Amino acid sequence: MRLPCRVASAAVLALAASTGAHAASYLAKHCADLEGKEVPASVIGLPTRGATIWSASVVKAAAPGNRNGEYCRIVGSIKAVQDNTPDIRFEVNLPSRWNGRALQMGGGGYSGVLVSGTEPMPFAPDSTPLAKGYATFGSDSGHVGNSGRADFAANDEAILNFGFGHLKKTHDVALALIQLGYGRNPDKTYFAGGSTGGREGFTVAERYPNDYDGVIANAPAINFSGVRLMGVKVGQASYGKPGGFVGLAQQRRVIETVQQECDKLDNAADGIVSNVEACRKLEPKIIADLRCANGQRPSLRDSCLSDAQLATLNTLRDGLNLPYLLAFGVDTYPGYNVYQGVDFSGVLGLGDSPVLVNPPGFAVNGYLFAQGDAYIKHFVTRDLTYNSIGFDIANPGRYRQRLMALSATVGAMNTDLTGFIARGGKLIAMHGLADEVISPNQTIAFYRLLVDRFTQDGVDAFMRLYMVPGFQHGNGVFIPAWDELGALDRWVTDGIAPETLVGTDIAPTTNGRSRPMCRYPAYPRYIGRGSIDNAANFRCVYADVRP
């Protein structure tokens, strides 16, 4: 049975007049009636062939493993335009005790896994939005499988879905089902995600500003083409030049040397490099301490770094500068805080082998290069035999237009947020200063572009940026747990703009300590008395930020 354009069926029309406990009762009784129904393409704002509900059932509050209270779980698919394009799988969850708000949750990596909307927020592990009464929804971004190999990129419609299409299509289907379930639209609709989901957050603010009242975007991969080309450049330095690979012993030597020089720059010996800008000024000394002396060569016993290895690290530090423009005038990818606290020896680091395998593996050849290699093979050249070590980033020839098109489709570097601002939308972004996957300096650079365009007062009216010392890409010596969704909702609903917040460390060895979550460009500095594990004994102070 096809649901009409106004999304009301005979089985659930009575719900539109129900509220409170009556609505919850009706939702529980008639949830299963939705199974097999169709949402017409006419209610979806991008081309599709409509959506089909595969299953709809009530999950009881007492169901084993359920921490979300009673809700109606709806799973289905949105039919692609082309027969050879994978459908978009989606899930929508309608809580019996609805708070009148909806939350779309973003994916990670290359997605390919259904975002159920039943899990906690990444940095609020103690509760779920669904349990708090949010109607939640997510999708698989339009393909199945998140191996990192990006096989789906052989299909242009699948790339479009991954880049932005699945966001709008899933939103529109979900809003239709929410209207059907409760008889009205949400009072507020939010988006939240990190990494790929962070890019998706900026994407919806830029492309679909009228659909969202607030956005959370953490560690956002907004310059998708830039970070992938950066990965290729790192691989070329590591494996395309003699002696360029930086071994695990050298990687650990770097972080140990940086900690020795920079840990106490915030007045606390806590394992966190908080004053990144002061640490940056010590970079020449740090490099000198790392360099092998008098022609000495690195060995398993001595972890000094050769000039070739330092050149690889400097490649990471310096970032990417292109002699041509990608979409939205982008020609750079800012580098990483290599000598300011990033640990590249972990699972998302530079790898553990000087031997290049084909295809490159995350663990052996490094996450950045493995992803960059996959991007060149699957997205750019569509040639799985292509040797990305030989890809000329500065002069890509016939692939230049391809890079431009991809950066427009998969990326969120458009600073034109006038529609989102006019709607009154609010955006909270967070990024770890020690991120080894997505450069935090790209997020900072984009923020500065927004300030250039809208002035500082203008940006303050709709956006907050929190840069977190010691936090990597989901790991690190400080992993913050904080109520980001609550802060966004208070801002949108009550007009209470977030200022300094508090993050509680969930890193295994330092679990429970707290730090201020400082608005950029401030960082937390210990006041010199009281426990260094208590955020109350720190103050947010402003670093000497380079222009």
Side-chain angles (χ1 to χ4, degrees):
M1 176 181 175
R2 178 182 290 268
L3 301 177
C5 294
R6 293 185 64 86
V7 200
S9 70
V12 292
L13 274 173
L15 183 59
S18 301
T19 59
H22 295 292
S25 173
Y26 200 90
L27 183 67
K29 183 178 179 181
H30 293 282
C31 174
D33 294 343
L34 294 172
E35 188 166 319
K37 302 296 192 300
E38 296 183 359
V39 178
S42 57
V43 305
I44 303 172
L46 290 176
T48 72
R49 286 185 284 175
T52 301
I53 299 172
W54 299 345
S55 65
S57 60
V58 172
V59 179
K60 295 294 186 181
N66 179 27
R67 57 189 299 184
N68 294 303
E70 184 180 87
Y71 64 98
C72 174
R73 179 175 183 259
I74 304 167
V75 179
S77 63
I78 303 169
K79 186 69 176 176
V81 174
Q82 302 295 326
D83 288 335
N84 64 340
T85 302
D87 294 341
I88 299 169
R89 297 179 299 156
F90 68 85
E91 179 168 334
V92 179
N93 307 293
L94 306 180
S96 293
R97 297 183 179 275
W98 186 39
N99 66 6
R101 296 164 177 77
L103 174 66
Q104 184 172 7
M105 301 176 78
Y110 280 126
S111 295
V113 176
L114 178 59
V115 176
S116 70
T118 61
E119 298 299 318
M121 295 277 287
F123 305 105
D126 293 334
S127 63
T128 70
L130 183 55
K132 293 179 178 179
Y134 285 86
T136 63
F137 56 99
S139 83
D140 66 355
S141 83
H143 64 273
V144 176
N146 191 359
S147 66
R149 306 317 310 166
D151 298 343
F152 70 91
N155 183 293
D156 286 337
E157 189 180 1
I159 291 179
L160 183 149
N161 281 335
F162 172 69
F164 62 88
H166 82 99
L167 300 167
K168 176 62 174 173
K169 296 171 185 178
T170 302
H171 168 276
D172 289 357
V173 170
L175 266 287
L177 294 174
I178 289 170
Q179 185 187 56
L180 179 65
Y182 299 115
R184 65 180 180 89
N185 286 324
D187 300 320
K188 305 294 179 185
T189 300
Y190 302 141
F191 185 95
S195 193
T196 288
R199 168 183 63 80
E200 292 171 342
F202 275 96
T203 295
V204 299
E206 294 165 17
R207 289 181 179 268
Y208 310 113
N210 292 326
D211 289 345
Y212 300 88
D213 299 283
V215 167
I216 291 170
N218 296 324
I222 49 178
N223 189 351
F224 179 78
S225 292
V227 72
R228 292 296 181 250
L229 292 175
M230 184 74 230
V232 173
K233 188 176 180 181
V234 171
Q236 292 171 345
S238 295
Y239 296 102
K241 298 177 181 179
F245 175 74
V246 182
L248 284 177
Q250 286 77 32
Q251 295 169 31
R252 294 180 181 127
R253 170 78 176 270
V254 173
I255 188 64
E256 289 167 0
T257 302
V258 171
Q259 287 281 0
Q260 182 177 342
E261 294 293 333
C262 298
D263 182 6
K264 296 181 182 179
L265 294 175
D266 63 350
N267 208 27
D270 56 0
I272 304 172
V273 178
S274 292
N275 192 348
V276 167
E277 295 307 321
C279 185
R280 207 180 301 280
K281 295 176 181 178
L282 298 177
E283 190 171 295
K285 183 181 186 305
I286 292 169
I287 293 175
D289 290 343
L290 293 171
R291 177 176 278 114
C292 293
N294 302 322
Q296 177 187 3
R297 299 182 64 182
S299 67
L300 292 177
R301 189 175 65 181
D302 192 320
S303 56
C304 68
L305 277 76
S306 68
D307 286 345
Q309 291 173 321
L310 287 170
T312 297
L313 295 183
N314 292 344
T315 295
L316 272 166
R317 175 201 64 191
D318 295 340
L320 192 67
N321 290 280
L322 301 173
Y324 52 89
L325 295 179
L326 299 176
F328 309 114
V330 173
D331 61 359
T332 62
Y333 187 79
Y336 296 76
N337 294 328
V338 177
Y339 303 112
Q340 291 83 40
V342 183
D343 186 355
F344 282 103
S345 67
V347 294
L348 299 179
L350 293 177
D352 60 12
S353 174
V355 178
L356 180 60
V357 300
N358 187 27
F362 293 169
V364 290
N365 304 128
Y367 183 86
L368 284 174
F369 177 47
Q371 290 283 34
D373 176 81
Y375 176 71
I376 295 299
K377 289 175 178 175
H378 291 276
F379 280 82
V380 180
T381 67
R382 286 177 167 167
D383 178 359
L384 301 190
T385 67
Y386 194 93
N387 179 13
S388 64
I389 294 292
F391 185 79
D392 191 340
I393 298 173
N395 299 285
R398 63 193 178 99
Y399 297 119
R400 179 171 166 178
Q401 284 303 116
R402 179 70 179 161
L403 290 171
M404 166 67 88
L406 287 168
S407 65
T409 302
V410 188
M413 290 293 290
N414 185 0
T415 60
D416 187 3
L417 288 169
T418 52
F420 189 69
I421 295 169
R423 175 183 170 82
K426 308 301 181 187
L427 191 155
I428 298 177
M430 183 270 281
H431 207 144
L433 284 163
D435 196 322
E436 75 276 42
V437 173
I438 307 298
S439 173
N441 297 312
Q442 175 63 90
T443 300
I444 290 171
F446 188 77
Y447 176 82
R448 290 177 180 167
L449 288 175
L450 292 177
V451 171
D452 289 343
R453 179 165 188 157
F454 298 110
T455 75
Q456 187 66 64
D457 288 344
V459 172
D460 287 346
F462 76 91
M463 181 177 178
R464 291 291 185 267
L465 174 60
Y466 296 88
M467 303 301 299
V468 183
F471 182 48
Q472 294 188 221
H473 203 74
N475 208 331
V477 294
F478 182 81
I479 306 173
W482 60 313
D483 185 14
E484 204 169 5
L485 181 58
L488 179 69
D489 187 49
R490 286 188 293 274
W491 195 6
V492 171
T493 304
D494 302 323
I496 302 173
E499 296 297 335
T500 300
L501 301 172
V502 174
T504 301
D505 195 357
I506 56 175
T509 59
T510 49
N511 191 288
R513 66 177 174 175
S514 60
R515 291 288 182 275
M517 301 285 287
C518 300
R519 289 182 57 191
Y520 175 82
Y523 72 93
R525 181 176 178 84
Y526 180 53
I527 62 175
R529 60 183 183 273
S531 172
I532 62 171
D533 293 334
N534 190 337
N537 299 321
F538 288 75
R539 296 291 181 268
C540 290
V541 298
Y542 288 91
D544 179 17
V545 180
R546 298 188 304 174

